Amino acid sequence: MQTYNLADWLAWMEAHHPRQIELGLERVAAVAARLTLDLSGARIVTVGGTNGKGSCVAFLEAILRTGGYRVGAYTSPHLLHYNERVRIDGSAVDDAPLCAAFSAVHAALADTSLTYFEFGTLAALWLFQRAALDVIILEVGLGGRLDAVNLIDADVAVLTTIDLDHQDWLGSDREAIGAEKAGIFRAHKAAVCADENPPRSVIAAARKVDANWYPSGSAFQFIAHEQNWNWSSQQLPRRADYDNLPLPTLPLPSAAAALAALHCLSCAISIDAIRTGLCAATLPGRFQRVRRGDVEVVLDVAHNPQAARWLAQQLAQTQLHRESRTLAVFAIMADKDVDAVIAALKPCIDAWYFGALPNNSRALVPAAIDNKLRVAGIEARTVSATIGDAYNAALAQARVGDRVVVFGSFFTVAVVLAQLQKEGMVDGG
């Protein structure tokens, strides 16, 4: 196994465990114990929630690094390359260190079987242990309570938003989902919540474990203006008032939660580092805007109703000319609330282009997408063989000043992002 390259390891990891998802900490904890993981030298921030997790991680990472701290970040899923999931000091980890980490985890398996995500999580933690980090930021993969990253006790736990997604695993309503996501809270440690209307189950979970509860709207507040925004807190361990902060390109509630998390850590951060970090924080596939000649391409991984509503709001706010059109390139997983996603974006879209996602059994087939769009009363529909063909069809129909918005899943965005990279429109990864 030690001679495997990265592609070999990833293929092995996908086939190793009989289930793609199997929540629970018992198996991953057993392997972690044999790895003798020790992250006590770094401060830990765990970020969970339905939407906005990746953005919150990006803000934390950018601000901390600007402030002079050495940071490790673990996120998922990736768009084009697995290496995107593990960053040390701002850079994706190269293939060779990842393979060494996978080899170390494999050697510690004994008779334990791990899922792809669990295996990768332990590999990331193994790398972080050896990197002399000041802060480690861990993004929850699914849920929270039984997610592999919850193996690690966080100094600060952040919940971004709580909404309906992954109901088959987390529960059918916000209360059930909130209870699962709040499982990352720890006794006497900070629990930051960006959701201004959190489920009662989240508040109850914080009280049950005696976490230090810091919700948006009371523990910290933010107000957006046309050109800037303000953030303040009177109830965090470090109090502050910041005026005229630069508006970020990523969701503002995630930025506000990141600032709250920073004020719960024992990290000295200057206002200059905060301003610079807010401007520097970017995330591929999150309202990523790319100029392609006279047409703008917008990439967004929105795949549930809440994320679709946010995308619709951004599209409405950024339309430059009333006569310009927005053309959708759309593919989505079959287990999502497709009707609600379509309903949220229908007012913003002039024409829909869709096709099959390659080698993806979870994706909704084009005929089913076509039927859902028809039922929603959408007449401007163009079906193509693949999502790549759908993107090219949309470009062919786009006029000067139009924009093409690509959304519905990470897989959808990845197809178009890869094409844009090949064309030299965005940086390669």
Side-chain angles (χ1 to χ4, degrees):
M1 301 293 292
Q2 286 82 355
T3 60
Y4 270 19
N5 61 30
L6 182 58
D8 292 334
W9 272 115
L10 296 177
W12 183 88
M13 288 159 56
E14 287 180 342
H16 167 63
H17 196 73
R19 300 181 185 89
Q20 183 180 17
I21 299 173
E22 185 175 357
L23 297 178
L25 298 179
E26 183 176 344
R27 288 171 298 102
V28 71
V31 180
R34 290 192 284 271
L35 281 169
T36 62
L37 292 175
D38 182 5
L39 302 176
S40 59
R43 283 152 284 193
I44 309 292
V45 181
T46 298
V47 182
T50 303
N51 296 301
K53 298 188 298 292
S55 298
C56 187
V57 171
F59 285 122
L60 286 166
E61 185 179 16
I63 295 171
L64 283 164
R65 292 192 62 244
T66 302
Y69 293 94
R70 186 169 168 82
V71 182
Y74 176 58
T75 62
S76 65
H78 61 277
L79 279 169
L80 299 181
H81 307 289
Y82 186 92
N83 313 63
E84 300 166 24
R85 297 183 179 221
V86 188
R87 295 189 299 277
I88 294 177
D89 205 22
S91 297
V93 172
D94 291 334
D95 287 10
L98 275 173
C99 290
F102 291 149
S103 181
V105 175
H106 180 263
L109 283 178
D111 59 351
T112 305
S113 176
L114 297 176
T115 67
Y116 180 98
F117 180 77
E118 291 168 341
F119 203 99
T121 299
L122 290 180
L125 297 176
W126 186 88
L127 288 166
F128 290 160
Q129 177 177 295
R130 285 154 179 76
L133 299 171
D134 299 308
V135 181
I136 296 171
I137 310 167
L138 304 174
E139 180 186 352
V140 171
L142 177 61
R145 181 175 65 92
L146 299 176
D147 187 83
V149 303
N150 202 34
L151 178 72
I152 305 301
D153 292 329
D155 297 293
V156 180
V158 181
L159 286 188
T160 52
T161 62
I162 300 94
D163 207 71
L164 300 180
D165 203 0
H166 299 294
Q167 290 98 311
D168 289 346
W169 293 98
L170 305 179
S172 60
D173 55 34
R174 290 181 77 239
E175 291 295 333
I177 292 170
E180 289 296 318
K181 292 186 180 296
I184 63 175
F185 295 165
R186 293 297 191 270
H188 313 301
K189 300 293 186 179
V192 173
C193 185
D195 197 315
E196 294 192 351
N197 183 32
R200 293 186 300 274
S201 60
V202 172
I203 302 170
R207 290 173 177 167
K208 183 176 181 180
V209 300
D210 199 20
N212 298 326
W213 174 239
Y214 299 122
S216 177
S218 56
F220 62 98
Q221 304 85 32
F222 66 97
I223 300 174
H225 305 293
E226 188 173 344
Q227 301 294 332
N228 53 54
W229 66 295
N230 301 341
W231 184 95
S232 64
S233 167
Q234 299 301 317
Q235 297 181 22
L236 295 179
R238 287 173 52 221
R239 299 179 180 181
D241 293 282
Y242 301 132
D243 296 328
N244 300 316
L245 292 172
L247 286 170
T249 59
L250 298 174
L252 200 54
S254 290
L259 291 184
L262 289 171
H263 282 71
C264 294
L265 288 174
S266 54
C267 297
I269 303 290
S270 70
I271 183 60
D272 288 340
I274 289 172
R275 292 181 182 279
T276 301
L278 287 171
C279 294
T282 59
L283 201 57
R286 276 71 161 187
F287 207 72
Q288 181 180 2
R289 303 170 72 180
V290 181
R291 290 304 310 182
R292 195 183 185 284
D294 295 321
V295 175
E296 182 180 58
V297 178
V298 179
L299 306 169
D300 198 283
V301 297
H303 56 271
N304 58 48
Q306 185 183 58
R309 291 192 295 270
W310 183 84
L311 174 57
Q313 182 182 38
Q314 298 304 112
L315 291 172
Q317 292 175 350
T318 56
Q319 186 169 7
L320 296 179
H321 305 290
R322 184 175 299 178
E323 63 274 13
S324 65
R325 300 176 304 159
T326 299
L327 312 180
V329 175
F330 178 58
I332 192 168
M333 300 299 102
D335 60 349
K336 301 302 179 183
D337 189 346
V338 183
D339 296 328
V341 169
I342 291 172
L345 283 153
K346 176 182 174 181
C348 305
I349 305 297
D350 297 289
W352 296 69
Y353 298 78
F354 51 97
L357 284 168
N359 305 315
N360 195 313
S361 60
R362 290 180 53 214
L364 194 65
V365 298
I369 293 177
D370 188 52
N371 182 63
K372 286 186 174 293
L373 292 172
R374 179 182 56 78
V375 170
I378 295 170
E379 296 183 0
R381 313 188 307 273
T382 301
V383 62
S384 300
T386 70
I387 196 65
D389 295 332
Y391 170 65
N392 290 328
L395 286 179
Q397 293 300 314
R399 302 191 293 256
V400 174
D402 286 351
R403 60 184 172 184
V404 174
V405 56
V406 182
F407 70 98
S409 77
F410 280 82
F411 303 104
T412 309
V413 168
V415 170
V416 175
L417 184 60
Q419 182 166 331
L420 288 168
Q421 284 192 359
K422 187 176 181 180
E423 295 171 350
M425 299 294 174
V426 296
D427 292 337

